[in-house]
Amino acid sequence: MTTLDDLPIRDDLRGRTPYGAPQLDVPVRLNTNENSYPVPEPVVEAIGKALAAELRDLNRYPDRDAVALRAELAAYLGHGLTADHVWAANGSNEIQQQLLQAFGGPGRTVLGFTPAYSMHPLLALGTGTRWVPARRGADFGLTADEAVAQVREHRPDVVFLCSPNNPTGTALDPAVVAAVLDEAPGMVVVDEAYAEFARPGTVSALAVLPGHPRLVVTRTMSKAFGFAGGRLGYLAADPAVVDAVQLVRLPYHLSALTQAAARAALAHRDALLGTVAAIMEQRDRIVAELRARGHRVADSDANFVLFAVDGDQAVAWRTLLDAGVLVRDVGLPGWLRVTAGTPTETDAFLTAMENVS
């Protein structure tokens, strides 16, 4: 049987494993930060009608630039943005890959503050961009001074900032973004995949886009909109950035069906985003309950919680799985991450945690 080692694969890909979390058939799946609430029936019907309207013309290519969708995403974001400031793709992963294709590549570097989203170094690898893992503090925090010192040391072509950060869940102080923008010689990408779940008073990097042509804010419809299966991510930036990523995007990369479904979802955003407050309530419940039991827990502005366990986190992960609850082992010694889901799912998780110290 042929294996990867038998093929002339790139040397820097040998021995690598693809990104992915376990997809197991268990009663409670809380490992991939999905929205646990199904799409409401009126929205299902609206999306179905939108898709049906596209079917007869599937012999034609879709709108290559997805202008109508981009205009509606801009209207959702506000901040005076227009379609010219927005670009959309198949999930924020593809958006970030396009950014590295345009602004990274061989001979260039991208810096991220770890622990952070584990796809970022893989996107760097895939685009031939050198990955620089910068450091966070012992409590997973990041100050402006710490960030600036590391940007100054490495002079990266691209900086990734996650706010809220995955897997820790905490949003960045706006001073960190401002300081990195002042110091970084290249592009600064703020990944705001979980922005809709942020605690009151949290400031989005969208507020500082004007006058910062090297700033990019990436978002997704996967989490708050419950649209993970629809695969729609997007960015907001200076129109010149949108021009740049169009140089590397594949032709007709966003299907007519994806565009139609996303537009229908946006038109019903009040119904879809109606679950955000309920999810935030469960997140805060998990934080409070685990802390009351003596666990260390990271502050969360996302739809998940990072919590500490005694000893080997892989053992704790298995204990929870044996109880029918799937959480995420993100590779941080002594820590696990759980998605905030429905009240029933939270009940199951907290009950299972009674056997984890």
Side-chain angles (χ1 to χ4, degrees):
M1 179 178 178
T2 302
T3 68
L4 282 179
D5 291 336
D6 300 316
L7 300 175
I9 193 172
R10 285 167 30 189
D11 288 341
D12 57 352
L13 292 178
R14 291 190 182 279
R16 301 276 184 170
T17 56
Y19 172 88
Q23 291 183 308
L24 305 177
D25 185 13
V26 296
V28 180
R29 293 193 304 175
L30 299 173
N31 68 325
T32 52
N33 300 339
E34 296 162 318
N35 189 316
S36 290
Y37 291 89
V39 176
E41 192 57 37
V43 186
V44 170
E45 294 175 4
I47 292 176
K49 290 179 180 178
L51 294 177
E54 297 292 330
L55 296 180
R56 189 173 299 280
D57 293 325
L58 285 183
N59 59 308
R60 301 295 185 184
Y61 285 115
D63 176 4
R64 182 178 54 236
D65 298 329
V67 175
L69 172 60
R70 288 161 55 199
E72 290 166 17
L73 287 166
Y76 165 66
L77 291 177
H79 293 275
L81 298 172
T82 68
D84 291 338
H85 297 90
V86 175
W87 181 248
N90 295 282
S92 57
N93 293 319
E94 185 178 39
I95 288 288
Q96 291 163 7
Q97 181 182 57
Q98 291 173 344
L99 289 168
L100 288 183
Q101 288 175 316
F103 300 105
R108 295 192 171 198
T109 61
V110 54
L111 179 148
F113 296 92
T114 59
Y117 183 34
S118 58
M119 264 305 295
H120 288 162
L122 295 178
L123 293 172
L125 177 67
T127 58
T129 311
R130 185 170 69 90
W131 170 253
V132 177
R135 302 172 303 280
R136 289 177 173 270
D139 62 350
F140 305 127
L142 183 64
T143 68
D145 288 344
E146 291 168 339
V148 165
Q150 294 180 84
V151 170
R152 185 175 296 148
E153 176 184 355
H154 297 287
R155 310 302 294 165
D157 298 279
V158 180
V159 176
F160 275 133
L161 296 170
C162 297
S163 184
N165 184 53
N166 179 10
T168 61
T170 312
L172 285 175
D173 184 331
V176 176
V177 177
V180 170
L181 272 173
D182 287 343
E183 183 66 32
M187 304 300 293
V188 176
V189 180
V190 182
D191 183 342
E192 291 191 346
Y194 303 93
E196 286 91 348
F197 299 102
R199 289 172 292 180
T202 302
V203 178
S204 167
L206 292 171
V208 294
L209 270 179
H212 291 100
R214 292 182 293 104
L215 173 63
V216 184
V217 180
T218 64
R219 292 282 189 97
T220 181
M221 291 181 69
S222 294
K223 313 302 183 182
F225 279 84
F227 199 70
R231 308 305 303 132
L232 199 291
Y234 54 104
L235 65 76
D238 188 274
V241 175
V242 176
D243 292 341
V245 295
Q246 291 195 60
L247 296 174
V248 299
R249 60 101 172 98
L250 293 174
Y252 312 107
H253 70 294
L254 207 54
S255 78
L257 298 180
T258 298
Q259 292 183 46
R263 293 183 64 193
L266 282 166
H268 293 80
R269 57 179 170 266
D270 288 345
L272 290 172
L273 295 175
T275 63
V276 169
I279 292 168
M280 291 172 65
E281 182 179 352
Q282 295 308 306
R283 173 201 68 199
D284 295 342
R285 177 187 169 199
I286 292 169
V287 170
E289 180 63 28
L290 291 183
R291 285 177 175 168
R293 298 183 187 185
H295 291 274
R296 292 175 60 200
V297 181
D299 290 335
S300 181
D301 291 286
N303 69 333
F304 58 83
V305 176
L306 186 75
F307 62 96
V309 296
D310 289 340
D312 187 345
Q313 82 279 356
V315 174
W317 179 86
R318 171 55 64 177
T319 298
L320 294 171
L321 183 61
D322 289 344
V325 179
L326 180 61
V327 301
R328 187 71 176 269
D329 182 350
V330 295
L332 286 176
W335 294 82
L336 292 171
R337 191 193 71 195
V338 60
T339 304
T342 65
T344 300
E345 289 173 331
T346 300
D347 290 343
F349 166 70
L350 291 174
T351 297
M353 280 295 294
E354 292 174 359
N355 296 316
V356 176
S357 58

